[in-house]
Amino acid sequence: MAQWDRLRQLSAIYWQQLHELYDRDGLPMDVRHYLSAWIEKQEWQRAARDYGLAMVLYQVLLENLDIQHSRFVQEESFLQQHNIRRYKQSFQRYQDEPCVLASTIEWFLEKEKEILNSAELNEQVQLLQVEQEAMETTCQQELQRKMAGLRNDVQCLEHAIICLEEQQDEFDFKYQTHKMEAVTDEAKKNERKKMFQSLINKLNDYRKSTLADLNKLLDRAEDLINLLVRKELVDWQRRQQKSCIGAPDNVCLDQLEKWFTCVAVCLFQVREFLNKLDELVGKMSYENDPIKAQKPALNKRVDALLKDLLKSSFVVEAQPSMPQGKGPLVLRTNVQFSVKTRLLVKFAELNHSMKVNVSMSRETPQIKGYRRFNVLGSATKDLNMAESLSGGMVADFRHLSLKEQKSGGGGKGISEISLSVTEELHIIYFNTVFELKGFSVELQASSLPVVIISNSSQQQSAWASILWFNMLSLDPKDIMFFTTVPAAPWPQFGEMLSWQFLSATKRGLDDDQRKMIAHKLFGKQQNYDICQVTWSKFSKESGPETFWVWFDGILVMVKSYLENIWREGLIMGFVSRGKEKLLLKKKKRGTFLLRFSESVVGGITFSWVEIDSTGEPDIKTVQPFTKTDLCQIPFHEIIRNFQILEAENIPESPLLFLYPDTPKDEAFGKWYCEKSGEQEDEPHILQSQLETFQDPMLSSSLEPLEDDCLLYPSFTDSDFIQPDSFLTDFNMLAPSLLPAQTCGGIFQ
């Protein structure tokens, strides 16, 4: 199949590339279309070097255009007649330069082959079922299109400079030949003079045209750099901020690296083009030479664009993190941490040639008592491709640590503003020098603000600060953030809480759970979206238990002991006592739900429906279980074996259906141990009695219940099971098997 026919059968994405290719005047698309068969049969490569062949092909081309014009006359296609006549007039400029025309057509045919090869490669990838990248956004598709346009501009400019050089060489050859000839005839001299004036005018016009194309190319490059630096990179930095606090955002830098590298490569090529223009001017110049006039400004503009691009291309790919930390950006003095930087402009010749130095800021903010630190460890590393899975240029620092400077007082007395240790924000800086092909620029990257603690007991508060900053701050260098800390809108705050569960357990909070938390924070509201949470309410309110301490206690408990059943959606979790009663009182006997305690940090409890003597639903609740209980008995085994004594001391499990109506064993059965009970070396009858009567919820402790475990509705003392008498009976039955420690709270 002919090349042009294959191109026409490609998908729309390749049509766009084809349109961009033929947006130029070198070869009109109409001419390529109507003369496609003839064009593809000619030896344009040889004609570009053979003047005689080029002239023959040029004449045949004009004849073919005449034939097409006659055809459109017969078809009465007025518009096409006009276009063909205009194209023929345009080709007249190649009358003295048929080799240039041949070279131009050859270049277009090669670009078409590149488009075809790209399409064929893409089809092969699809046939091999290679995993496709995520769907690009409209903005990214537009950026890709502009990137392809920039590459095309560079290739066209390269071709134009080659043609310019050939044109200049032709002029020089003719002029030198003329000087060697002894022409005495005045008429001939004048004729030669007119010819050389015409040649120099054409050369001047071509130089102006090339410089205009150069400026257009730089306009496109500037537009792309603005998109990359002020849009795509900023978006990535915001995604990285959110990913540090659990958001499932994509922070892969591979695509950005391709874009940054593409623009940098093009700009370095432009610098080479400018050097080539210097050479041409050195060989031949004249009065009002446009290259001499415009080149200094072009040099300055290219270098400014490169600096803008390169200074933004040095980033922190993996933020500072301790191996055993609660999350990134919380560092502890004298404990090793890791951090990774990356250069998004990838040149193979720079591998291991750029050294990165790490340091802390030397400028002390005006905050009373603000501490300063020194970086210890190997504070210098090479940027290299060996430490990156994707082959990027990275410097991976793995064994750094921080030591506080004991002298200097860090801003003491400068300002009355003071912050707690966990509200102090510090930035780690990375410096390197980019040097390539005579171009040099200093680069600096900085980490997101870190909180530096000296004791593990400060981790929880420090992580609260990291959550708050990265949830709300759009300025990644705002170390004064906590001097005037903003409140968090509920939608943003609720999403951040969900990320904590999502990153820890792979299951976030659903809408109902978030609404229940909002109710706990703000009470009943018509619209929680307008509510705000203050920093004080989140982490600084007086008293031992702030909201964050309560929430984080639940998160740690779920991650440590309840992750499986949480991920299955079996824990309703964030349910107030009142909401729990409303949900359960409409359900049948034995329906139960699991919720987190509102008053015991890191506690989980369950409530179920009983039917009282009047036939009314009676909601019962147990004292919350904490890690003390859950580290001894898995929660699903507690639910499985939980029993109470009914009439005539007959044990019975009150837990039958997990809310709303899932049978208990169907919900939890896949985690059950094969045997219930812990000791197999006891007599069978005693073991079976234990399995019948042992109540994991019973405790030898008689401390009062937490207020969120009181039963609904109120009861008299005679309504409760008497713990003392029950435990006495249990001890008589199986004294050697009674647990040494409490396994839960008292059932009432």
Side-chain angles (χ1 to χ4, degrees):
M1 185 184 296
Q3 182 169 301
W4 186 250
D5 292 334
R6 290 165 60 202
L7 285 165
R8 292 172 61 196
Q9 292 181 11
L10 295 178
S11 60
I13 186 173
Y14 297 104
W15 291 351
Q16 181 62 39
Q17 294 181 30
L18 203 59
H19 285 306
E20 289 174 1
L21 176 62
Y22 282 99
D23 275 346
R24 308 188 171 279
D25 294 333
L27 179 63
M29 185 180 278
D30 283 359
V31 174
R32 175 67 178 96
H33 175 71
Y34 292 119
L35 304 185
S36 59
W38 177 80
I39 287 175
E40 291 176 28
K41 291 177 182 178
Q42 310 313 312
E43 297 182 67
W44 298 107
Q45 187 175 10
R46 184 161 71 88
R49 302 189 302 270
D50 185 334
Y51 181 85
L53 176 60
M55 182 56 74
V56 170
L57 293 179
Y58 170 71
Q59 294 295 340
V60 175
L61 172 64
L62 297 183
E63 290 172 8
N64 281 324
L65 290 176
D66 287 337
I67 293 170
Q68 285 297 323
H69 183 269
S70 299
R71 172 190 158 195
F72 291 130
V73 169
Q74 293 175 0
E75 295 176 357
E76 297 183 353
S77 177
F78 176 77
L79 184 60
Q80 291 298 345
Q81 291 176 49
H82 169 77
N83 288 339
I84 292 295
R85 186 167 58 251
R86 183 165 55 88
Y87 298 148
K88 183 177 178 181
Q89 290 172 353
S90 175
F91 282 124
Q92 298 294 333
R93 70 181 187 271
Y94 294 111
Q95 185 170 0
D96 297 328
E97 303 168 318
C99 290
V100 174
L101 174 61
S103 177
T104 300
I105 295 177
E106 179 203 358
W107 183 83
F108 274 93
L109 293 175
E110 288 300 316
K111 292 302 167 188
E112 289 179 2
K113 289 178 182 176
E114 289 179 13
I115 295 173
L116 282 171
N117 290 338
S118 174
E120 289 170 0
L121 179 61
N122 189 49
E123 289 175 1
Q124 291 171 9
V125 169
Q126 290 177 348
L127 290 173
L128 291 172
Q129 296 181 341
V130 174
E131 183 178 352
Q132 299 296 304
E133 293 182 355
M135 184 66 68
E136 294 175 329
T137 63
T138 303
C139 180
Q140 288 175 327
Q141 290 173 348
E142 177 67 10
L143 203 153
Q144 287 278 39
R145 189 188 68 78
K146 290 183 176 183
M147 204 71 67
L150 179 67
R151 287 192 294 265
N152 272 338
D153 281 354
V154 170
Q155 291 168 348
C156 290
L157 188 60
E158 181 179 25
H159 177 72
I161 290 176
I162 291 172
C163 292
L164 179 61
E165 184 176 22
E166 291 174 349
Q167 200 172 49
Q168 182 168 311
D169 288 344
E170 179 189 359
F171 174 85
D172 185 59
F173 174 77
K174 290 181 178 179
Y175 185 70
Q176 295 300 329
T177 303
H178 166 69
K179 288 202 303 185
M180 293 172 63
E181 294 177 353
V183 179
T184 58
D185 182 57
E186 284 299 321
K188 199 168 186 180
K189 280 184 180 181
N190 289 332
E191 184 181 339
R192 289 282 181 92
K193 185 177 179 181
K194 287 181 180 179
M195 180 194 72
F196 285 123
Q197 186 63 53
S198 174
L199 287 175
I200 201 71
N201 288 342
K202 289 174 81 174
L203 183 62
N204 189 61
D205 289 343
Y206 209 98
R207 284 188 172 187
K208 287 181 178 179
S209 173
T210 301
L211 292 169
D213 288 344
L214 237 172
N215 273 302
K216 289 178 183 177
L217 187 154
L218 293 181
D219 287 342
R220 176 168 281 188
E222 185 172 7
D223 180 41
L224 275 169
I225 290 171
N226 284 330
L227 278 173
L228 287 177
V229 173
R230 291 154 186 84
K231 173 68 172 60
E232 295 297 327
L233 186 61
V234 170
D235 288 350
W236 173 82
Q237 288 170 335
R238 182 57 187 151
R239 291 198 304 273
Q240 188 189 47
Q241 265 192 284
K242 294 192 294 181
S243 73
C244 284
I245 57 174
D249 286 359
N250 177 20
V251 292
C252 179
L253 283 167
D254 293 351
Q255 184 60 67
L256 267 180
E257 180 187 76
K258 290 177 184 176
W259 289 336
F260 269 78
T261 302
C262 174
V263 178
V265 167
C266 289
L267 288 176
F268 271 106
Q269 285 180 280
V270 171
R271 293 182 89 244
E272 292 176 5
F273 296 158
L274 290 172
N275 290 336
K276 186 65 178 178
L277 292 179
D278 251 350
E279 292 179 18
L280 296 179
V281 170
K283 292 178 181 178
M284 190 188 79
S285 186
Y286 44 87
E287 190 177 352
N288 297 324
D289 187 342
I291 294 179
K292 274 189 173 181
Q294 297 183 36
K295 186 177 171 297
L298 287 169
N299 274 329
K300 187 175 180 180
R301 187 180 181 194
V302 171
D303 288 355
L305 290 175
L306 257 179
K307 284 182 180 179
D308 192 12
L309 181 74
L310 290 170
K311 284 188 173 183
S312 300
S313 69
F314 189 39
V315 299
V316 177
E317 180 177 17
Q319 293 293 331
S321 178
M322 296 188 299
Q324 303 301 322
K326 195 170 183 66
L329 303 172
V330 175
L331 305 180
R332 185 177 168 185
T333 53
N334 303 314
V335 174
Q336 289 188 344
F337 67 91
S338 62
V339 60
K340 183 190 293 185
T341 61
R342 182 165 175 175
L343 184 65
L344 298 178
V345 173
K346 181 178 173 182
F347 288 94
E349 54 264 50
L350 294 178
N351 193 27
H352 287 286
S353 69
M354 294 175 62
K355 296 189 179 299
V356 180
N357 301 307
V358 57
S359 62
M360 298 292 291
S361 173
R362 295 182 180 180
E363 296 181 5
T364 303
Q366 295 187 357
I367 298 176
K368 186 177 180 180
Y370 187 85
R371 300 167 299 158
R372 293 176 62 178
F373 297 87
N374 293 323
V375 180
L376 305 180
S378 301
T380 301
K381 288 209 69 174
D382 292 345
L383 275 170
N384 65 89
M385 299 179 187
E387 294 181 311
S388 172
L389 294 176
S390 64
M393 295 277 291
V394 304
D396 194 356
F397 297 86
R398 300 180 184 178
H399 305 292
L400 299 177
S401 61
L402 299 173
K403 184 175 182 179
E404 185 176 353
Q405 297 179 10
K406 296 301 181 183
S407 60
K412 189 174 294 183
I414 295 176
S415 171
E416 290 303 313
I417 297 172
S418 62
L419 298 173
S420 67
V421 167
T422 56
E423 291 176 324
E424 246 185 48
L425 299 178
H426 300 263
I427 292 177
I428 303 173
Y429 290 93
F430 305 86
N431 294 279
T432 189
V433 177
F434 179 98
E435 291 181 323
L436 183 68
K437 299 178 181 178
F439 184 84
S440 177
V441 60
E442 293 183 1
L443 310 181
Q444 184 179 82
S446 56
S447 72
L448 289 169
V450 299
V451 173
I452 303 172
I453 60 176
S454 56
N455 192 292
S456 58
S457 63
Q458 299 169 318
Q459 273 220 2
Q460 190 177 53
S461 294
W463 183 239
S465 297
I466 294 301
L467 291 176
W468 206 260
F469 177 88
N470 289 290
M471 173 178 55
L472 296 175
S473 178
L474 299 179
D475 179 1
K477 293 186 179 181
D478 183 13
I479 60 174
M480 303 287 283
F481 177 80
F482 284 103
T483 59
T484 53
V485 57
W490 165 249
Q492 208 170 346
F493 182 78
E495 185 178 41
M496 181 273 289
L497 296 181
S498 181
W499 292 341
Q500 304 316 296
F501 271 90
L502 183 64
S503 60
T505 68
K506 304 297 185 287
R507 182 188 179 95
L509 305 177
D510 60 32
D511 290 342
D512 288 337
Q513 289 165 334
R514 278 189 264 190
K515 189 174 181 180
M516 293 169 189
I517 295 173
H519 185 272
K520 175 181 175 65
L521 286 167
F522 310 113
K524 189 174 182 180
Q525 302 286 338
Q526 287 292 108
N527 181 12
Y528 290 111
D529 287 353
I530 63 174
C531 297
Q532 291 190 324
V533 184
T534 63
W535 169 239
S536 175
K537 188 173 185 63
F538 177 65
S539 184
K540 288 183 67 69
E541 282 186 343
S542 59
E545 297 171 8
T546 63
F547 174 86
W548 171 242
V549 170
W550 170 77
F551 185 87
D552 190 50
I554 292 170
L555 186 62
V556 171
M557 173 186 62
V558 171
K559 175 62 179 174
S560 302
Y561 305 107
L562 307 171
E563 184 172 356
N564 286 338
I565 61 176
W566 170 262
R567 286 170 66 174
E568 291 286 326
L570 305 181
I571 300 176
M572 187 173 290
F574 297 98
V575 190
S576 67
R577 297 187 294 273
K579 180 70 172 179
E580 173 190 66
K581 181 178 179 181
L582 289 173
L583 293 173
L584 288 177
K585 72 178 183 179
K586 300 176 184 178
K587 293 296 180 180
K588 56 191 173 185
R589 178 181 177 275
T591 302
F592 67 100
L593 58 78
L594 314 179
R595 68 175 178 87
F596 303 128
S597 171
E598 292 185 89
S599 58
V600 176
V601 174
I604 187 169
T605 184
F606 48 78
S607 302
W608 70 93
V609 181
E610 291 282 4
I611 303 299
D612 64 18
S613 58
T614 65
E616 293 298 317
D618 179 10
I619 312 303
K620 296 183 181 291
T621 302
V622 295
Q623 183 171 317
F625 296 90
T626 63
K627 68 176 183 179
T628 304
D629 314 308
L630 300 175
C631 68
Q632 299 178 62
I633 305 175
F635 193 50
H636 55 266
E637 290 297 325
I638 293 175
I639 294 171
R640 176 188 185 186
N641 295 315
F642 179 74
Q643 294 179 335
I644 60 174
L645 292 179
E646 294 292 348
E648 300 179 1
N649 284 343
I650 298 174
E652 181 179 305
S653 173
L655 309 180
L656 303 177
F657 305 98
L658 179 67
Y659 185 90
D661 55 10
T662 305
K664 177 181 70 175
D665 292 342
E666 181 182 323
F668 298 94
K670 66 179 178 181
W671 294 292
Y672 288 167
C673 300
E674 290 186 9
K675 293 186 178 181
S676 176
E678 300 176 0
Q679 305 208 14
E680 298 183 11
D681 55 347
E682 296 296 329
H684 176 72
I685 185 169
L686 190 59
Q687 180 65 34
S688 65
Q689 289 170 331
L690 178 65
E691 291 176 355
T692 303
F693 289 100
Q694 185 178 3
D695 177 0
M697 294 303 302
L698 293 173
S699 171
S700 57
S701 168
L702 297 181
E703 296 177 359
L705 291 175
E706 300 291 341
D707 61 354
D708 68 337
C709 300
L710 297 177
L711 295 170
Y712 307 103
S714 59
F715 295 89
T716 63
D717 290 343
S718 60
D719 292 322
F720 301 143
I721 295 175
Q722 299 300 315
D724 290 336
S725 62
F726 184 84
L727 286 173
T728 301
D729 293 341
F730 191 87
N731 285 328
M732 291 174 62
L733 177 65
S736 64
L737 298 180
L738 195 65
Q741 298 181 5
T742 176
C743 297
I746 301 173
F747 159 70
Q748 295 188 352

